[in-house]
Amino acid sequence: MTTSISATEVGLPPAPPEETARRRFTEIVAPYAYIAPFFVLFAVFGLIPLLFTFYVALFDWNPIGEHVFVGLDNFSRLAGDVRFWNAARNTVSIWLLSTVPQLLIALVLAHLLNHVRLRLALFFRMTMLVPYITSVAATAIVFAQMFDRDYGLLNWLLGLMGFEHIDFTQSVVGSHVLIAVMVTWRWFGYTALLYLASLQAVPRAIYEAAAVDGAGGVRQFRHISLPALRPVIVFTIVTSTIGGLQIFTEALLINRGAPNTCGPIRQCQTLTLFLFEQGFTQFKFGYAAAIGVALFVMVVALAGLNYFLSTRIRPVKG
Amino acid sequence: MAACSGSSSETSSGGSDSKSFEFWSFTGINAKGSAEEYKKIRPDVEIKLTEVGNAQETAQALTTALAGGKVPDLVLIQGDDLPKFVQQPQNFVDLRTMGADKIKGDYLDWVISQSTTKDGAIIGIPTDVGGMAIAYRADLFKEAGLPTDREEVGKLWPTWDAFIETGKKYTAATGKAFIDNAGGSIYSQVVNQGDQKYYDPAGNLVYEQSPQAKTAFDLALKAVAAGITAKQSTFTEGWSAAMKRGDFAVVSAPVWLLGSIRDNAPDTAGKWDIATIPGGSGNWGGSFLAIPKGAKNPQAAWDYIAATQSPQGQLDHFAQARSLPSTPSVYQDPKLTSVKDPFFSGAPIGTIYTNSLLGLKPFVIGPDSTTIGIEFTNAIANVEQGKGDPAKAWDAAVTNIKNAIGG
């Protein structure tokens, strides 16, 4: 890289040659030094483990025994493994059931919290974070008790109203709903605050002008809030895709009778739980790594697809 | 995390520091108490005890530690997790080099054989075994018009069929469930009562043809069909709640389950009693102490094993923590036979549980035994929850097992 403009041409006094060289060197190096910490940390804790996972996936890898190279065998076995496809289905189902309501609730809440005449606004905004800072394990235990078949609060209420008890943890749909409720409960406040932060950047005057023009709350939401939120919505969709596909603790804890499979017929075993089962109870690290790679590909593909779609779908103008 | 203190530097070359060692145990077996006892005879030794988690979590942590190279000096491994480690004996100190040859005769031979490799190396010393019995609610039996005395109750069920018949009577009289679940209280007991479980004596997988597994499976389904189970999986919230409320009257209780009953339902103290298990004998569980190959202070760890796992040491630990000795020479000792548990109406648990071991036929436990057991009990649970077809359950379980251990 050579520059065609010299210091004298832009009106600066000529520097001694060795000083120019040194300054040029530091100017080139300094920015890289500033950004280096992130990339070094990313390499050590992100990239190297990732590459190592790809490597392990090519082996029949017993953590305390032999490592036998098997090429792509783990992947071909994975493709024919009903348990893998079951886990993939469960994961996508739970992800959809949790992400869609979560983002919608957060959107509406953020809009309400941004209202000018809301009393105790700060209090309400802070309470949004309570579910998020509660430990996942505590959340899962409390929800599992509330949704218990025989002794849960929810089924007790259903019973009072004359309905049959619902067996949340043992049925496919029930367990997915239960996990989705937990995930939604945990994340909606966090997402709502992200939206709120973005909304606060919109000048009040715009809302006031809209109100003067006769636009009600719903119209204001659609035509002012939503367009303003578009970038952060894209962001939350991508991050919740990444998070949603990695659901683990909730699924692990709601079915403690058969924890690693999340129930007798693997009805809510997610991909991460399947990975954990293979790696840490079966000691099949190679197979577990192959599941990890498959999960990685899925996350990248879905996050990319979501980004593609959500940047193209624009709010209706009108 | 250099485990040894700086003063004694030459840890790697023979002159090992036997004044301290790092010990990984799991919760619920009172390793702390055992360590404190040891401090009384060896006040000069420092034990760095970590209760890693439950038995399975401890085995997982050990696996990671062995793979990563930072290992404790001493580790407790549950019997069900042991075969995977026995298959990779290069990770452990062959305890014969420390003197295990001289003491191996102290232990039940079928138990110490579980930690002995094909070449004869001994990688673990058995700390306890899992004798079996039935815990029942005497007060609820009385309400149902059944006998309450533990001798009489034991006579109600010489066989598992008689056990299920008793259950039907109980359920008919009270309208309530008899047992907690069929997988835990029937299948897992029956399958541990034969001379062959999932492997033949040569170590080949035979779960599909195993008469014991099939018998256990069919009995469990029979109990489900009889409508005597509460459909509460062991160790879940519903299980604890049902136990507190007396919504089932009977739990098959290997000796290590007694603590869970006590902790889960403290208000039911004195209402429980213990009777013999149908079929009379059986073993489920037990643990082993092992020294990883990379241990910094194997000698200190071995000194601990030798002192605490002697017949006398195990006897003391039983009196204190209820873990059943794996050393048959103490089974007649008054210190064992006189132990009565007030929570269980003063049942002589020492005698009841050791008796269940005496008629025992040993069987081979292999690296996939746990997985196979889980798939069988899952298939039973699926029928129990009303989702699975009992006629197809066995085949479904076999398919799942093939998938799980082949994949």
Side-chain angles (χ1 to χ4, degrees), chain A residues 50-60 69-82 84-85 274-275 285-298, chain B residues 407:
Chain A
L50 193 68
L51 295 176
F52 188 62
T53 305
F54 290 143
Y55 175 73
V56 172
L58 303 175
F59 288 80
D60 184 359
F69 184 79
V70 293
L72 295 175
D73 272 16
N74 282 328
F75 292 99
S76 60
R77 226 168 41 209
L78 202 59
D81 190 338
V82 286
F84 171 72
W85 294 111
F274 184 44
L275 185 157
F285 272 29
Y287 202 54
I291 300 167
V293 171
L295 182 62
F296 175 77
V297 171
M298 262 180 76

Side-chain angles (χ1 to χ4, degrees), chain B residues 312-328:
Chain B
Q312 206 55 44
Q314 290 206 2
L315 185 58
D316 292 342
H317 195 57
F318 172 73
Q320 174 209 52
R322 302 279 187 270
S323 70
L324 200 63
S326 58
T327 49

Side-chain angles (χ1 to χ4, degrees), chain B residues 320-390:
Chain B
Q320 174 209 52
R322 302 279 187 270
S323 70
L324 200 63
S326 58
T327 49
S329 65
V330 300
Y331 287 179
Q332 303 299 326
D333 194 304
K335 265 170 97 178
L336 181 126
T337 53
S338 68
V339 169
K340 294 189 164 58
D341 195 318
F343 189 94
F344 297 94
S345 306
I349 57 169
T351 341
I352 294 175
Y353 281 103
T354 47
N355 281 346
S356 80
L357 297 171
L358 296 177
L360 192 92
K361 291 163 273 181
F363 50 81
V364 173
I365 300 175
D368 288 317
S369 286
T370 312
T371 308
I372 298 168
I374 288 172
E375 294 296 349
F376 274 131
T377 43
N378 276 348
I380 293 163
N382 193 31
V383 176
E384 190 174 33
Q385 307 288 353
K387 310 270 187 319
D389 176 356

Side-chain angles (χ1 to χ4, degrees), chain A residues 62-65 81-83 145 148-151 167 170 256-258 264-266 276 280-284, chain B residues 56 60 63 66-67 84 88 90-91 230-232 236-237 241-242 245 247 371 375 378 382 385 403-404 407:
Chain A
N62 184 328
I64 57 167
D81 190 338
V82 286
R83 297 170 302 168
Q145 280 178 358
D148 188 83
R149 182 193 62 208
D150 294 338
Y151 310 105
D167 196 347
Q170 299 304 321
R256 280 192 281 177
I265 46 166
R266 299 173 186 269
F276 181 75
F280 290 92
T281 62
Q282 307 280 350
F283 293 175
K284 289 174 181 154
Chain B
Q56 199 192 27
Q60 285 162 8
T63 308
L66 289 171
K84 284 200 169 79
Q88 308 291 344
Q90 73 281 5
N91 291 293
K231 306 177 185 179
Q232 297 290 1
T236 56
E237 277 85 7
R245 297 162 45 116
D247 286 354
T371 308
E375 294 296 349
N378 276 348
N382 193 31
Q385 307 288 353
N403 218 336

